[in-house]
Amino acid sequence: MATDTRTTKLIINDLTKEQYESIVNPSDTELYLVPDDTDDRLALKQDVLTPGTGITIVDNVISSTGAGGTTNYADLSNKPQIGGVELSGNKTLSALGIAPSTALGGMTLWKGTTAQYNAITTKSANTLYIITE
């Protein structure tokens, strides 16, 4: 069954935020009007946007320069790792703790030019040589 929530008297209270927060038992028959702090926040805004270090404003376009960062991988911190080994420099699979693939039946792959192949004095029976020109 619906409850009749009509009142015979409604009191409208225009309060400050502090007054509203001090109310211990709000009344069901009173409406509390409390201004938000928008006016206070607007009073703190800058009338003119002033750029800081490394920031420029030209024709209402805001740009930043020199805020940090790098395009040099060696300068990065927190580089990724494989098995606790940092990925920097020219690491071999062995250096990264990665076992060679057994897809070739235990054979090793070698790739090089004909001149490089001819320079190998002792060829291995366990190596598959791929010669490129």
Side-chain angles (χ1 to χ4, degrees):
M1 180 195 264
T3 304
D4 186 354
T5 58
R6 291 181 292 166
T7 61
T8 56
K9 178 174 151 185
L10 177 64
I11 300 171
I12 300 175
N13 290 302
D14 190 9
L15 304 174
T16 65
K17 186 176 179 181
E18 292 78 20
Q19 289 171 323
Y20 177 74
E21 290 173 350
S22 69
I23 298 173
V24 177
N25 296 314
S27 170
D28 292 338
T29 61
E30 294 186 39
L31 178 64
Y32 303 101
L33 300 178
V34 181
D36 63 20
D37 60 355
T38 301
D39 291 337
D40 295 337
R41 285 183 280 137
L42 288 176
L44 298 175
K45 77 169 188 64
Q46 290 178 305
D47 290 326
V48 176
L49 185 59
T50 305
T53 304
I55 298 175
T56 59
I57 304 171
V58 178
D59 296 327
N60 290 327
V61 175
I62 301 173
S63 303
S64 66
T65 57
T70 183
T71 58
N72 185 344
Y73 185 79
D75 292 338
L76 295 176
S77 59
N78 299 316
K79 292 182 186 82
Q81 298 181 357
I82 293 179
V85 178
E86 183 179 273
L87 297 180
S88 61
N90 190 14
K91 301 275 195 289
T92 63
L93 290 177
S94 177
L96 295 171
I98 300 173
S101 171
T102 58
L104 297 172
M107 295 189 71
T108 302
L109 278 179
W110 178 93
K111 178 180 171 185
T113 65
T114 301
Q116 291 171 321
Y117 176 76
N118 290 336
I120 299 173
T121 54
T122 306
K123 311 237 181 354
S124 170
N126 294 321
T127 300
L128 178 60
Y129 296 92
I130 302 171
I131 299 173
T132 60
E133 295 301 323

